[in-house]
Amino acid sequence: GENVEQHPSTLSVQEGDSAVIKCTYSDSASNYFPWYKQELGKGPQLIIDIRSNVGEKKDQRIAVTLNKTAKHFSLHITETQPEDSAVYFCAASLSDKLIFGTGTRLQVFP
Amino acid sequence: GAGVSQSPSNKVTEKGKDVELRCDPISGHTALYWYRQSLGQGLEFLIYFQGNSAPDKSGLPSDRFSAERTGGSVSTLTIQRTQQEDSAVYLCASSSPGTSYNEQFFGPGTRLTVL
């Protein structure tokens, strides 16, 4: 079955700097790759997703890139702000079931 | 409309007791998922319901875990004879074929503590 690895587990940046989180997946048939943000005490919330027919997608300060050959995808956050501090999860899916990475705790210091 | 709701928000129980966790999905969502999130860990898939199809139970860690979904809406996750290692946040999510591809909407979770 699918296996998703996520790095780093923690990431600290200064406000205004960029943050990059990387994930790899094992099943080459996976075709959907969402990213979720989880704030303290809340459930995860979708922030951006990408499908396997696209190499890059942007939404304001966040972007996701996908390398199907290498089976890895990354989340890029530019001009980080303190409110970006949260746990971020990547996931991969072939069908309706998502397989999640282990999460990255991002801290943005003012 | 309301999002996914879960109850209770917190549950403290003694080892060996049974617990029931409830999930109310977004109205009209045909798919419902249960996940377990242990402290500092990722989301571990438990079980998936889609419409009237047989549920995908492949993630249930033991036969002490079971789930039902009545009338295609509300779901209950039951853990029998709880153990301390069952302590975690249990998250429910729902999705609909009519929304963005596979987007899952999560509830706030139930924090289970087994003493």
Side-chain angles (χ1 to χ4, degrees):
Chain A
E2 176 65 276
N3 181 54
V4 177
E5 295 189 354
Q6 182 172 347
H7 301 280
S9 57
T10 61
L11 179 60
S12 297
V13 299
Q14 286 292 129
E15 181 178 1
D17 288 350
S18 295
V20 180
I21 304 170
K22 298 182 179 181
C23 290
T24 61
Y25 61 100
S26 60
D27 190 341
S28 58
S30 289
N31 57 8
Y32 175 67
F33 307 91
W35 286 87
Y36 283 80
K37 176 183 180 182
Q38 185 177 28
E39 298 178 334
L40 194 63
K42 297 183 179 180
Q45 184 174 11
L46 179 72
I47 55 171
I48 194 168
D49 56 15
I50 192 168
R51 303 178 193 182
S52 59
N53 60 346
V54 176
E56 183 176 1
K57 183 176 178 181
K58 284 186 177 181
D59 183 3
Q60 299 183 350
R61 295 186 298 108
I62 60 174
V64 57
T65 58
L66 171 65
N67 184 327
K68 287 167 52 181
T69 302
K71 289 188 286 187
H72 66 69
F73 55 113
S74 301
L75 177 71
H76 305 252
I77 305 174
T78 58
E79 302 173 23
T80 53
Q81 301 169 2
E83 53 264 37
D84 293 331
S85 296
V87 179
Y88 292 81
F89 292 97
C90 63
S93 171
L94 170 60
S95 59
D96 289 336
K97 197 163 70 176
L98 293 175
I99 304 301
F100 285 87
T102 50
T104 297
R105 181 173 299 280
L106 173 65
Q107 290 184 301
V108 180
F109 293 98
Chain B
V4 177
S5 61
Q6 293 186 243
S7 59
S9 56
N10 281 282
K11 177 71 177 179
V12 180
T13 190
E14 294 179 347
K15 177 182 174 181
K17 301 283 189 182
D18 298 351
V19 295
E20 286 189 351
L21 312 180
R22 177 186 169 106
C23 172
D24 283 86
I26 293 173
S27 177
H29 279 193
T30 57
L32 187 147
Y33 308 79
W34 283 99
Y35 296 89
R36 179 169 68 176
Q37 185 174 29
S38 301
L39 186 62
Q41 300 299 310
L43 284 75
E44 176 190 3
F45 166 78
L46 297 177
I47 188 169
Y48 159 50
F49 296 90
Q50 172 58 276
N52 295 321
S53 303
D56 178 348
K57 304 180 182 180
S58 60
L60 295 179
S62 77
D63 58 8
R64 296 186 297 104
F65 288 73
S66 62
E68 291 184 343
R69 189 178 185 192
T70 55
S73 180
V74 172
S75 177
T76 302
L77 177 69
T78 301
I79 308 174
Q80 296 179 310
R81 305 181 301 282
T82 52
Q83 304 295 313
Q84 289 183 332
E85 59 263 30
D86 298 335
S87 296
V89 175
Y90 289 83
L91 290 161
C92 173
S94 69
S95 70
S96 168
T99 61
S100 298
Y101 185 69
N102 281 1
E103 178 176 2
Q104 295 184 19
F105 296 83
F106 283 83
T110 293
R111 180 175 297 278
L112 174 66
T113 303
V114 182
L115 302 176

